[in-house]
Amino acid sequence: LNSRRIGHAFNLFHFPLLMQKIKQNGICLEICPISNQVLGYVNDLREHPAVGYLRHGLPCVISSDDPMIFRTSGLSYDFWEAIMAWNLTLADIKKLCLNSIEYSSLDPEEKREAFASWEKAWTQFVHNALTMHLSH
């Protein structure tokens, strides 16, 4: 368990003691919603174990798996699928985004800059969303 990240961890829910150890050690789980569905690990994303990992406080990030094979770029579709299937809150989405920086391979200075840039963009996003909602 010297890893900082574990890819997929799709069957981790079968091992509650390991889940506890992963949480204690702050090991991040890479969740690939679309890939897991395309590869047949889960037919319905609402049944994906990741939402349980999130609710139990395990650090998670949304990842796209094999973008060259699936001909995808970016994470928008993976996030959209996760948001819709798992009924994610704005706080859940924010945590997933922050985890993406926290558990990245950036050095400490790059992380500081990334967090500052992200916080500015997030604040603008929330402001724009509220402004649009209130104007309707």
Side-chain angles (χ1 to χ4, degrees):
L1 292 175
N2 290 328
S3 178
R4 290 207 8 98
R5 294 172 74 118
I6 296 176
H8 301 287
F10 193 80
N11 290 315
L12 180 61
F13 66 93
H14 290 295
F15 306 95
L17 293 176
L18 185 55
M19 280 179 53
Q20 182 180 8
K21 196 73 156 163
I22 286 171
K23 184 177 178 180
Q24 288 171 349
N25 291 341
I27 298 171
C28 186
L29 305 177
E30 297 173 354
I31 308 300
C32 307
I34 294 175
S35 171
N36 291 163
Q37 190 172 29
V38 169
L39 294 173
Y41 295 140
V42 63
N43 291 323
D44 186 333
L45 279 177
R46 293 173 294 183
E47 298 172 3
H48 196 289
V51 70
Y53 301 154
L54 291 169
R55 297 298 175 249
H56 281 91
L58 277 78
C60 297
V61 295
I62 299 293
S63 298
S64 60
D65 191 30
D66 301 319
M68 295 301 289
I69 293 171
F70 298 128
R71 295 191 173 131
T72 59
S73 62
L75 295 171
S76 296
Y77 292 119
D78 284 280
F79 263 94
W80 177 254
E81 293 287 336
I83 290 165
M84 297 308 292
W86 306 332
N87 198 29
L88 298 180
T89 66
L90 195 58
D92 294 328
I93 298 164
K94 182 176 184 177
K95 184 64 176 166
L96 286 166
C97 293
L98 290 171
N99 284 347
S100 294
I101 299 170
E102 179 63 34
Y103 293 93
S104 72
S105 61
L106 299 173
D107 68 41
E109 177 60 24
E110 291 170 323
K111 282 185 184 182
R112 187 191 65 71
E113 291 173 11
F115 278 126
S117 176
W118 183 87
E119 188 64 42
K120 183 177 178 182
W122 178 260
T123 301
Q124 187 63 49
F125 164 75
V126 171
H127 173 77
N128 290 347
L130 287 172
T131 301
M132 286 177 52
H133 177 73
L134 293 175
S135 69
H136 289 104

